[in-house]
Amino acid sequence: MATEPGRDAAGAVVRIGCGAGFANDRMEPALDLVERGALDYLFFEGLAERTLAHSQRARHAQRDRGYNPTLERRIRLVLPACRARGTRIVTNMGAANPAGAAAAVLEIARELGMTGLKIGVVEGDDVSHAIGPDHRLADADCTAGAVGRQMIGANAYLGAEPIVAALDAGADIVITGRVADPSLVVAPLMHHFRWRADDWQRLGAATMIGHLLECGFQITGGYFADPGRKEVPGLARLGYPIAEVAENGDATITKLAGIGGFVTRETVLEQLLYEVHDPAAYLTPDVTADFSAAQIIEAGQDRIAVSGGNGRIRPENLKVTIGYDGGFRAEAGISYAGSGALPRARLAASVLVERMRDVHGLTEPLRTDLIGHASLHATAKAAQGIDADYRDIRLHATLCSGEERLARALVDEMEGLWIAGPAGGGGVRGQVIPTVMTRTALISREAVRPKVEILVA
Amino acid sequence: MSDMIRLSEIATARAGDKGDTSNIAVFVSRAEYWETVRAGLTPSLLARSFPDLFRGPITRYEIAHLHALNFVLENALEGGVNTSLNLDTHGKSFSYLLLDLDIPLAPLNPENRREP
C-alpha cells in the first residue's frame, strides 16, 4: 500500500475529508478515512431538502430527538481516531435539534473518557416563528399560508460564520442544523486561514471545493459507472474524498489508496455541475460563487487539481425551506410473467384505477407504471410504442393523499388483485408512508440570529 | 438531411434536482464533437423531444473550456421529490433520457480536430 501523505505541520495546506454525503451514507469508509487520511477536518453532510422537515416531525413526537439517528453511531465509530489525531468534526446532522445531538455526543465522549472535549452547537436556523401565513413564497406565486397544508417548521440556511465562531472557540466537534452544505467546508478554511467574511474570491473558491466534496462518493466514482463506457474500480468499496486546500483557495481532490473508486478529471467535472443552475451564480449564505472559470487538471493518480473558483458579494437574503405535512404516499405492485404479461398487467392497472375511483372515491391522481415496459421515462414517452413480447412486467401504482384511508385502500386493492385480478399475478408488495412537502422562501439576514454554544465533556 | 449521431456515443451526463427544477449537465467526452453538441443539443430540441415531461422553461448554460452544457428545466419533475408520483421522484434518470437523443453531426473541420 502506498504511503499516505501526512499532515502539513506548517499549516500551509489543510486536509478536509467528507465522511458522509447524505443522511444514511456508509459508515466504515469514514473510519478508514480518519485512520489513514491525516485529516485536519472531517465533515458529515446529512440534510437533503426534505430531511429537516422529517426531523422537525420527529422532534415534535419526541422532544429529545429530531437529529440524525445515525449520528451517535458515526461519532462512536470515528471519535477515538479523530481525538488521537487531532481531527476536528463538523456536521449538520444536528438537523432539527443540534442541542439534543450535542447532548448525546457529550454523553458518548464521557463514556469514552474524553474529558475536556469541546462540542460547538450552532442554532438559530429554526425560523418557524418568523414565517407567518402571509410570508411570500419564492418558488410559488402565493403565501406560505395559501399552500393549504399544515406547516411543520421553517429553517433558514445559515452560512459558515457561526461554525467559524465555534471553531475559533476551540470546538473539537461542531454540530449544526440547517447550513448551506458547502459552508461545512468553507468554515474550517476560514477558521484556519483567517480569511475575511468578505473575501469573495476565496470564499467562492472554498464554496466550489465544498460543493465538490459534499456528496461524498459522487466524486470518487459513485453515480458514474456505466459498464462498457465508464468503468469504476472497486465500486462496492468506494473511498470517501479528501481535499487538500491551499491558502489561496486552490485545492487537490484526492482519495486514499488501497480502497475502491477513483478521482479523475471526469468524476470531478460531473460533480462540478451537480444540482447547479447558473454556474456563474451559485448562491449560498457566504458568497455568490462562480464556477464558470474552473480549471480541472490531472496532477497524478487520484489527484485532480481544481482552481479558478471565484465569487462576488453574498446574497442579501437567506433562503428558507418550509416543511409541510405532505399526506400519505402509498406505493404497491404486482408482477406478471410469461406470454401476454403486458396485456395482463395493463388489465390489472385498469381494474385498480376503476376500483380506486368508483369504490373508494379517489379523486386525486393515481399513477400506474409498467416496470419492464415503461416506468421511469413513461411520462416522457421515451420507451413506449415498441412492439415486443414483454415477458416480465411489474405493475407499480402510486398515489399521495391527505386521507390515510385512501392510501391504505391502494395497498389493499393491490393485494386484492392476487385473487380477483388477471391470471398469474404474483409478488404483491405495498406500503404507506407519511410524507412531507417543502416550499422555499426568503428571509432578511436581520431576522435570523445564529447562536453558538460550547459544551465541555 | 445531415447524418445524425447518438449523444451517448460522444458525451456523458449527470442529473440533479432542486424542488421541481431538474438540472442535467452534459459533458462532451470526445472534444472533436463539442461543436456538434453545442449546435445540436438545444433547449428547443429537449422541449420538442419530450413535450409531456419538459413543460416549463429550459435554460442552457455553457462552460466552453470544459466542453460542458448545463440544462436547467423548470417544472420538469412532475411536482418534484415532494409530490411526484414517478418512481424516480428526483429525475436522476433524466441524464440517460438526454443521452438517447440523436443530434445532427456537424462537419468535423480540422480546427475541431486539433482541440485538446
Side-chain angles (χ1 to χ4, degrees), chain B residues 27-38:
Chain B
F27 309 91
V28 180
S29 36
R30 293 171 63 182
E32 66 271 29
Y33 291 103
W34 166 242
E35 288 303 334
T36 285
V37 176
R38 190 188 208 179

Side-chain angles (χ1 to χ4, degrees), chain A residues 37-68:
Chain A
L39 301 180
D40 297 292
Y41 298 92
L42 171 73
F43 77 96
F44 296 128
E45 197 288 301
L47 278 184
E49 257 178 350
R50 296 184 313 157
T51 314
L52 224 153
H54 285 293
S55 305
Q56 289 268 22
R57 187 176 260 171
R59 188 176 184 183
H60 291 161
Q62 204 180 331
R63 289 308 294 172
D64 60 343
R65 301 301 299 180
Y67 54 88
N68 185 309

Side-chain angles (χ1 to χ4, degrees), chain A residues 57-416:
Chain A
R57 187 176 260 171
R59 188 176 184 183
H60 291 161
Q62 204 180 331
R63 289 308 294 172
D64 60 343
R65 301 301 299 180
Y67 54 88
N68 185 309
T70 70
L71 179 62
E72 286 146 291
R73 270 199 293 152
R74 286 182 204 281
I75 293 292
R76 210 177 275 281
L77 180 70
V78 302
L79 187 55
C82 284
R83 187 71 167 153
R85 290 161 179 79
T87 301
R88 300 163 83 176
I89 301 171
V90 180
T91 180
N92 60 3
M93 288 190 179
N97 190 1
V105 169
L106 197 69
E107 199 57 41
I108 293 170
R110 285 179 180 153
E111 260 178 56
L112 297 172
M114 293 178 184
T115 311
L117 185 92
K118 288 186 181 171
I119 302 170
V121 187
V122 174
E123 291 182 297
D125 60 303
D126 189 330
V127 291
S128 306
H129 58 280
I131 303 290
D134 295 333
H135 202 102
R136 295 297 303 176
L137 297 182
D139 62 344
D141 191 20
C142 67
T143 59
V147 170
R149 300 203 180 239
Q150 196 197 339
M151 199 174 121
I152 299 172
N155 292 75
Y157 282 76
L158 303 182
E161 285 176 282
I163 304 173
V164 174
L167 292 170
D168 287 351
D172 300 291
I173 304 176
V174 183
I175 300 174
T176 77
R178 178 64 83 191
V179 299
D181 298 348
S183 303
L184 298 170
V185 169
V186 174
L189 294 171
M190 283 177 75
H191 163 74
H192 182 90
F193 291 123
R194 315 310 310 173
W195 290 340
R196 290 163 48 113
D198 62 354
D199 188 342
W200 309 123
Q201 187 274 322
R202 283 181 175 78
L203 264 49
T207 297
M208 185 168 91
I209 299 160
H211 168 72
L212 288 170
L213 288 192
E214 74 177 68
C215 288
F217 300 127
Q218 281 195 190
I219 201 166
T220 58
Y223 202 37
F224 184 83
D226 191 350
R229 288 187 265 200
K230 297 191 291 178
E231 309 284 350
V232 176
L235 190 59
R237 300 299 295 242
L238 292 179
Y240 279 116
I242 300 167
E244 302 167 357
V245 189
E247 197 278 333
N248 65 359
D250 288 354
T252 300
I253 309 293
T254 185
K255 63 175 272 294
L256 297 174
I259 186 166
F262 54 22
V263 181
T264 68
R265 199 175 169 278
E266 288 71 30
T267 66
V268 174
L269 184 54
E270 285 200 14
Q271 193 56 20
L272 182 71
L273 294 180
Y274 179 69
E275 289 182 348
V276 168
H277 291 173
D278 181 353
Y282 184 83
L283 305 178
T284 79
D286 302 318
V287 63
T288 299
D290 181 353
F291 306 161
S292 66
Q295 293 293 335
I296 303 172
I297 296 160
E298 259 169 22
Q301 191 183 349
D302 290 323
R303 294 184 64 79
I304 301 297
V306 296
S307 61
N310 211 332
R312 303 185 299 281
I313 189 166
R314 66 191 190 184
E316 211 172 301
N317 295 313
L318 297 179
K319 179 175 152 181
V320 174
T321 299
I322 309 172
Y324 295 91
D325 175 39
F328 298 88
R329 171 183 288 260
E331 294 196 61
I334 187 168
S335 288
Y336 297 88
S339 167
L342 184 59
R344 281 182 287 131
R346 281 194 173 127
L347 177 58
S350 74
V351 169
L352 193 73
V353 169
E354 185 177 328
R355 288 189 59 80
M356 286 304 297
R357 191 186 56 213
D358 295 351
V359 178
H360 300 282
L362 179 75
T363 55
E364 290 148 305
L366 168 62
R367 176 173 172 134
T368 59
D369 285 303
L370 299 167
I371 298 171
H373 172 253
S375 55
L376 301 189
H377 294 165
T379 314
K381 298 185 170 59
Q384 289 175 338
I386 305 158
D387 189 17
D389 183 16
Y390 293 95
R391 302 185 72 85
D392 199 329
I393 298 288
R394 183 163 184 81
L395 166 64
H396 182 91
T398 312
L399 67 79
C400 202
S401 173
E403 287 186 64
E404 188 171 9
R405 169 188 76 84
L406 288 169
R408 298 272 167 217
L410 179 72
V411 178
D412 292 346
E413 286 294 342
M414 193 63 84
E415 273 191 54

Side-chain angles (χ1 to χ4, degrees), chain B residues 21-22 43 54-59 72-76:
Chain B
T21 301
S22 168
F54 299 154
R55 293 163 300 180
I58 303 175
T59 309
V72 177
L73 304 106
E74 296 171 45
N75 314 323

